[in-house]
Amino acid sequence: MTGLEGSLWRVGHGREIELGRRSLIMAIINVTPDSFSDGGRFKTVDAAVEHALQAVSDGAAIVDIGGESTRPGAASVSPSEEQARVLPVIEALRGRTQALISIDTYRAETARLAVSAGAHIVNDVSGLQKESGIAELTAATGAGLCIMHTGRDRIKLADVIADQVHFLERSLAIAAAAGVNSDRIVLDPGFGFAKETAEENLELMARFSELSRFGLPLLAGTSRKRFLGTVTGRDASDRDVATAATSVLLRLQGAAVFRVHNVAINRDALDIADAMLNARQEFERKRPT
């Protein structure tokens, strides 16, 4: 399993969720016109809310609301535009679902407003290294925190795991200095974020279990990424089967949370992986010593 069976991820507004026994799905809700696989489909409040509620019905425990595309080369948006996109969606969802709500942002002010509007988790794709105020905000509010590794805008170490450690240790030091408790934190190795080749992403997948050294829950975000297209030859919108395959493989290496576009197919795939892992655990328990 993950080595974290029965542990709790403590998040904002007095909520918590169990980790380890069953994989958790975080649904991607892009309130943007230019995201790489579904840009423009859910850019209105009503469309985004209905999409999020369908994701919850399909098995998502968390909905991750983003107002700025993070694909390579995407145009940045102003903080006010980002906030105008995401805050009405969070406010609407707060009263319509018990699923946890995550805000996908690297801006401390957007995170602050989102948590005030009802978000339970801050998902920072800069790993706290663009605006460290996110760490202070999560410490003050008790929000959950996803810290993602990225290789953008810096020189990476040659070894994929050494670079993960180099970057994430700095991020965790920022979190600790701000007073963020470790039971609030999930780590994301950032598939596709300045991992430019399929080979680099595949090596990160193959060595994913090495990230257990941090002793923290791990999030896998491979959904529809370019390296899946390199392997399968499929366009972004047709990579959900490949995504589900990676979800299963990474579950077997200890991932606890899965950030995906297509919840239903990943929920089915992960239910099989979870059932197998539980069967193996039961077999080990009963095996004569």
Side-chain angles (χ1 to χ4, degrees):
M1 303 287 280
T2 65
L4 297 163
E5 285 72 34
S7 64
L8 296 174
W9 184 13
R10 301 188 191 279
V11 299
H13 306 290
R15 297 284 300 277
E16 59 189 27
I17 190 165
E18 185 176 348
L19 293 163
R21 297 185 192 281
R22 190 187 191 211
S23 49
L24 300 179
I25 290 183
M26 172 187 279
I28 298 168
I29 312 296
N30 289 319
V31 194
T32 59
D34 57 348
S35 291
F36 77 95
S37 78
D38 60 1
R41 290 188 61 195
F42 312 112
K43 65 181 181 179
T44 70
V45 173
D46 287 347
V49 168
E50 290 308 312
H51 180 48
L53 293 174
Q54 183 60 56
V56 174
S57 178
D58 287 341
I62 307 163
V63 290
D64 188 41
I65 315 300
E68 179 175 337
S69 174
T70 55
R71 66 175 173 81
S76 62
V77 301
S78 68
S80 60
E81 176 64 20
E82 178 190 37
Q83 293 153 20
R85 291 174 179 178
V86 300
L87 294 177
V89 177
I90 293 169
E91 290 164 354
L93 284 171
R94 179 177 60 184
R96 296 186 63 181
T97 181
Q98 287 299 302
L100 298 179
I101 301 170
S102 170
I103 175 65
D104 180 356
T105 188
Y106 57 84
R107 295 187 175 99
E109 180 61 9
T110 299
R112 183 187 70 79
L113 292 170
V115 171
S116 180
H120 307 90
I121 298 163
V122 179
N123 180 16
D124 182 3
V125 298
S126 77
L128 306 179
Q129 296 188 36
K130 187 168 282 189
E131 293 192 17
S132 61
I134 285 183
E136 294 156 6
L137 166 77
T138 55
T141 62
L145 178 63
C146 292
I147 296 175
M148 195 194 80
H149 171 282
T150 181
R152 293 180 180 176
D153 303 319
R154 64 182 182 85
I155 298 172
K156 297 187 300 179
L157 301 180
D159 182 85
V160 294
I161 298 300
D163 194 69
Q164 291 278 327
V165 172
H166 172 75
F167 182 91
L168 292 173
E169 282 186 343
R170 182 181 178 201
S171 296
L172 290 170
I174 293 168
V180 180
N181 292 333
S182 61
D183 62 0
R184 305 277 171 181
I185 298 173
V186 165
L187 299 181
D188 176 357
F191 286 97
F193 279 77
K195 289 82 172 172
E196 302 297 348
T197 65
E199 290 76 14
E200 186 175 0
N201 286 280
L202 291 167
E203 182 180 349
L204 182 55
M205 278 188 62
R207 300 176 63 189
F208 187 87
S209 62
E210 295 180 44
L211 299 176
S212 63
R213 64 193 296 159
F214 290 105
L216 292 168
L218 299 172
L219 182 152
T222 60
S223 191
R224 299 180 182 173
K225 292 292 175 73
R226 183 174 58 184
F227 80 96
L228 301 181
T230 300
V231 174
T232 65
R234 296 187 179 276
D235 293 335
S237 61
D238 197 22
R239 297 174 189 162
D240 291 331
V241 172
T243 299
T246 64
S247 293
V248 168
L249 292 168
L250 291 166
R251 178 61 172 161
L252 300 183
Q253 292 203 69
V257 185
F258 299 83
R259 185 176 181 274
V260 303
H261 295 86
N262 186 320
V263 173
I265 193 170
N266 282 275
R267 182 71 274 163
D268 283 357
L270 286 164
D271 280 347
I272 297 297
D274 289 345
M276 187 279 289
L277 288 168
N278 286 322
R280 184 167 70 187
Q281 191 173 61
E282 183 67 10
F283 171 75
E284 294 293 340
R285 186 183 68 81
K286 292 179 177 179
R287 177 189 289 181
T289 56

